[in-house]
Amino acid sequence: MKAFKVTILFTEKEEFTEEGLLKAIQADVNEIKLKLFAFDYKKDAEEISLDFIPVTKKFSKCVYIIEHKEFGALPYHQIVLGGIQTIDKKYPYIDIHSIDPEFVDVTL
């Protein structure tokens, strides 16, 4: 089965909770009538060297997989990414560094 995997690297702000992030993602997915198949969060999971500065920074990582289905004439990725890109507005306790979406095959 085709699914959509989203990897988000972010920094946490005060009052961040894993449960709060999951609820925000679930609400976003429910809003477009899709199912959340998997969710995984790791604090300080990735260390990245910043451009032009000899410093590295740790980012927390959230990976989740959501259902794929056709929306008729509307492109799936535009609908889904529109919600994902605004997740930090709905859940203001993160600063998003990057969003990496990809289609994957899953078996349930």
Side-chain angles (χ1 to χ4, degrees), residues 2 6 9 22 27 34 47 50 52 56 64 67 74 82 84-86 89-90 107:
K2 192 175 188 180
V6 179
L9 294 181
L22 174 58
L34 296 175
E47 189 170 87
L50 303 176
F52 307 112
T56 59
Y64 60 101
E67 173 184 26
L74 300 171
I84 293 167
Q85 290 174 338
T86 61
K89 305 295 183 263
K90 298 170 188 166
T107 50

Side-chain angles (χ1 to χ4, degrees), residues 20-32:
L21 178 60
L22 174 58
K23 285 181 180 180
I25 290 169
Q26 184 67 61
D28 184 59
V29 170
N30 289 344
E31 191 175 298
I32 52 177

Side-chain angles (χ1 to χ4, degrees), residues 64-76:
Y64 60 101
I65 298 174
I66 57 177
E67 173 184 26
H68 175 268
K69 70 178 181 183
E70 296 300 322
F71 288 104
L74 300 171
Y76 174 89

Side-chain angles (χ1 to χ4, degrees), residues 1-69:
M1 166 191 308
K2 192 175 188 180
F4 203 55
K5 176 181 170 187
V6 179
T7 303
I8 301 175
L9 294 181
F10 60 93
T11 53
E12 300 168 11
K13 295 181 181 178
E14 194 172 320
E15 299 185 40
F16 169 86
T17 65
E18 179 179 354
E19 183 180 315
L21 178 60
L22 174 58
K23 285 181 180 180
I25 290 169
Q26 184 67 61
D28 184 59
V29 170
N30 289 344
E31 191 175 298
I32 52 177
K33 297 180 179 25
L34 296 175
K35 294 178 187 163
L36 180 65
F37 292 143
F39 172 85
D40 185 51
Y41 157 78
K42 300 259 187 302
K43 181 173 181 65
D44 297 334
E46 299 230 358
E47 189 170 87
I48 297 176
S49 295
L50 303 176
D51 293 338
F52 307 112
I53 304 171
V55 170
T56 59
K57 183 170 182 172
K58 288 187 179 184
F59 292 96
S60 293
K61 183 178 189 176
C62 172
V63 178
Y64 60 101
I65 298 174
I66 57 177
E67 173 184 26
H68 175 268
K69 70 178 181 183

